[in-house]
Amino acid sequence: MKERVKVVVTGAAGQISYSLIPRLVDGHTFGDKIVDLELVEIPQVVEKLEGLVMELEDSNFPNMGNVNYTSDFEKAAKDADWFLLVGSIPRGIVYNGKKIEERADLLQINGGIFVGQGKAIGEHGKPNAKILVVGNPANTNALIGRHAANNESQLWMAMTMLDSSRAQSVLSKKLNTGISDISKMIIWGNHSPTMYPDFENMDCNGQSGKDLIDDMDWINGEFLPTVQQRGKAVIDSRGASSATSAAKAALDTVVACENPTASGDCFSAAVMTDGSYGLPDGIICGMPLRTLADGSVEIVSGIELSDFAKEKILISTNELLEERAAVMELLQ
Ligand SMILES: NC(=O)c1ccc[n+]([C@@H]2O[C@H](COP(=O)([O-])OP(=O)(O)OC[C@H]3O[C@@H](n4cnc5c(N)ncnc54)[C@H](O)[C@@H]3O)[C@@H](O)[C@H]2O)c1
């Protein structure tokens, strides 16, 4: 009998999910395992998921198990192994009669959603469940969800893999090399324009970025702004936020957690700080991670940070502290 994995996806009728969900059952992300899906949406939208389920059935994915759709998150959470929390209220939408423009309002509304979802995950998810928050503001949503879950054996992450992929892409062009030659691409801090893509510790065929790139004008004038502002550039061009690349990054994060990390390598996601690298306590911060043979995920130690890197990371962790202060009442 094949192993089964149960995956909950919120925001299942949204743009990212349309690219993400089929690839959860295509035999790549979870290998041979049979994937049971719980697709979650808000009540106003949930019926749309019937069409998506029809499409999934019509695609004849051999690894697809049971597929349900619901607006009852608590029910969906029962014994789930993975939670891909994509659903959130975007900036600019009218919510309860008010147009949501301010980051503070966005933090409050989405934060509120993550209290309920976090509690349900803590109570009903598997003890070793992994949770990837994609919906923005991802780090602070994850902080709120993790606090509400109050379950130390589960792993809460906020997605920074898309930032890491973007940085790899820009560096591979600069170094005129293939994308797969670039590894150890660490994103420090917040999933926001303050995040710091660590070009110095990146590895390209055994050489570090620090040794390969001796052009701080390019780093400051091109590399950092391109990676940090890429989300906005996509929105400006497409009129909608990154969807297919965000879906690919979520899948890459799952794959990175499901398989042991190669020796010397690491992958990027934001997790709870643990005192390493002098980062402030109590924030969900982008860091280098690795997956061990037993499936557990740990923070990689021993990465050297230059003064330049420390300065940039401080800007991002200060932003995370400000976000935390704005939602403090959700963390009591
Ligand atoms: N971390 C990243 O790298 C990254 C990258 C791109 C986008 N994002 C974020 O991902 C989120 C989703 O993006 P999208 O383009 O798919 O948006 P979208 O608006 O197309 O879809 C979001 C969906 O979430 C649903 N939703 C809202 N609240 C929900 C709740 N409480 N439970 C279940 N579903 C709920 C909405 O009904 C909607 O269908 C946004 O917050 C976006 O900013 C993050």
Side-chain angles (χ1 to χ4, degrees), residues 27-48:
H28 172 69
T29 308
F30 288 104
D32 232 14
K33 290 179 188 166
I34 299 294
V35 184
D36 295 318
L37 291 175
E38 287 285 345
L39 309 180
V40 184
E41 260 297 345
I42 52 175
Q44 303 90 303
V45 176
V46 69
E47 287 308 321
K48 277 194 186 174

Side-chain angles (χ1 to χ4, degrees), residues 267-321:
F267 67 94
S268 278
V271 294
M272 190 55 141
T273 47
D274 68 347
S276 40
Y277 298 108
L279 299 168
D281 283 336
I283 53 172
I284 299 277
C285 182
M287 276 186 276
L289 304 180
R290 78 165 145 243
T291 305
L292 307 181
D294 66 0
S296 59
V297 173
E298 65 174 25
I299 296 168
V300 173
S301 56
I303 302 285
E304 278 189 32
L305 293 172
S306 64
D307 288 343
F308 178 82
K310 284 181 192 159
E311 207 179 288
K312 298 286 181 199
I313 294 168
L314 184 64
I315 296 170
S316 202
T317 53
N318 280 343
E319 182 183 55
L320 283 168
L321 290 172

Side-chain angles (χ1 to χ4, degrees), residues 53-66:
V53 172
M54 284 184 213
E55 284 208 77
L56 290 169
E57 286 172 357
D58 297 347
S59 302
N60 292 345
F61 290 114
N63 287 16
M64 192 167 86
N66 305 317

